[in-house]
Amino acid sequence: MSDNMRITRHPVLGEEESSRTVTIYYEGRPVEAREGEPIAAALTAAGIRVFRTTEKTHEPRGLYCAMGRCSDCMMIVDGKPNVRTCVTPVREGMRLEIQHGLA
């Protein structure tokens, strides 16, 4: 797993606690993640920036507020639309799909 995009030493939160590596699937492609981290953090660490597209103009959206207030990070997770990935923890085998518009 590439950790070059992860914050492992935070000046306030301290050292990252070790967690189990799991596999999630973005558009059918396997992505390594850390169990319990937010989905958006796992995707961002893997270099993935597009979580949904806007309904009218089909523009890409991704992580924005990172605290569950906006709708930019919503994806279809295990067949369920409108999941806020910035506040939803990763678990083994999750299936993530780009959401087109808001369901």
Side-chain angles (χ1 to χ4, degrees), residues 24 26 31 33-34 36-46 48 51 63 73 75-78 83-91 94-96:
I24 58 177
Y26 172 83
V31 174
R34 294 187 178 156
E37 74 179 330
I39 295 169
L43 294 179
T44 300
I48 297 167
F51 299 176
L63 186 59
C73 73
M75 295 185 80
I76 300 169
V77 177
D78 293 332
V83 175
R84 284 181 163 82
T85 61
C86 67
V87 294
T88 304
V90 163
R91 65 181 178 344
M94 291 180 119
R95 303 262 173 204
L96 314 168

Side-chain angles (χ1 to χ4, degrees), residues 9 49 53 67 79 88:
R9 294 183 68 173
R49 303 288 187 265
T53 60
M67 59 185 202
T88 304

Side-chain angles (χ1 to χ4, degrees), residues 1-26:
M1 172 186 296
S2 174
D3 287 334
N4 61 350
M5 296 296 294
R6 292 188 187 278
I7 298 172
T8 57
R9 294 183 68 173
H10 192 279
V12 175
L13 301 176
E15 295 285 329
E16 175 189 46
E17 291 186 28
S18 156
S19 61
R20 183 171 80 108
T21 299
V22 296
T23 302
I24 58 177
Y25 298 88
Y26 172 83

